[in-house]
Amino acid sequence: MRIGFGYDIHPLEDGIPLVLGGITIPHFSGCKAHSDGDVVIHALCDALLGAAGLGDIGQLFPSSDPKWKNRNSRYFLEEILQLITVNGWEIANIDLLIQAEKPVLNPYFKEMRHQLSQILNLQSNQINLKAGTNEKLGPIGQEKAIACYAVCLLQSRL
Ligand code: MG
């Protein structure tokens, strides 16, 4: 078994879609990024790559490459699932912690888990989601950014 860790943060900008965990959440601002800014999937991608010893999302899909501009992050996750699978790994579980002052995210967890479990061919109970504010501290607390921490456990299929 192998453990992996990932983290991502993106600044918030008014008037763009907020995409987290593969779903669009109604909010007046969204994560500004080269891709769709889905910090949950980006953190998760890095956790999976980390556990498999395969580098990080920036190496695979460099933001300097126009090919990845405005790309749905679901694509990155699907590619990384392929990669870890051919390297002999399967996912045991995933734990995600989103840090956002607003909006309240718990009402969207069921849909996010469903979406992520569909992409990764997992049972919903293999994916756990948590959310917290940053107690009004720093850029996250001032609603200028959203961040996500991810850990995952991979087990060998061989
Ligand atoms: Mg990112």
Side-chain angles (χ1 to χ4, degrees):
M1 289 194 284
R2 299 273 292 262
I3 193 167
F5 170 70
Y7 171 77
D8 196 26
I9 184 167
H10 280 275
L12 285 164
E13 186 174 275
D14 287 359
I16 59 172
L18 177 61
V19 182
L20 292 174
I23 67 168
T24 302
I25 291 165
H27 196 51
F28 67 88
S29 60
C31 289
K32 186 179 162 190
H34 193 72
S35 66
D36 63 7
D38 191 329
V39 291
V40 177
I41 288 189
H42 296 175
L44 174 54
C45 285
D46 267 355
L48 294 168
L49 290 170
L54 293 168
D56 66 46
I57 191 173
Q59 290 168 5
L60 286 181
F61 310 105
S63 58
S64 54
D65 190 335
K67 200 161 53 172
W68 313 121
K69 193 165 170 57
N70 297 324
R71 186 67 80 130
N72 188 327
S73 293
R74 180 194 175 108
Y75 171 82
F76 304 142
L77 193 53
E78 286 168 350
E79 288 292 305
I80 287 164
L81 178 65
Q82 284 274 358
L83 199 57
I84 64 171
T85 304
V86 299
N87 277 272
W89 299 104
E90 65 182 11
I91 299 167
N93 78 301
I94 289 163
D95 193 16
L96 301 161
L97 170 59
I98 308 169
Q99 279 197 301
E101 205 67 22
K102 279 181 187 157
V104 174
L105 295 171
N106 303 46
Y108 303 101
F109 281 176
K110 193 176 172 195
E111 197 181 338
M112 276 188 219
R113 285 171 83 179
H114 177 72
Q115 187 67 24
L116 294 172
S117 64
Q118 291 285 309
I119 299 169
L120 295 169
N121 302 317
L122 297 174
Q123 302 295 317
S124 275
N125 66 8
Q126 289 175 279
I127 301 171
N128 189 66
L129 274 156
K130 295 172 287 199
T133 69
N134 212 37
E135 300 290 343
K136 303 199 187 307
L137 296 166
I140 295 168
Q142 291 159 16
E143 298 179 49
K144 290 179 181 160
I146 289 181
C148 183
Y149 297 89
V151 290
C152 72
L153 195 70
L154 299 184
Q155 53 201 13
S156 175
R157 291 188 301 117
L158 307 174

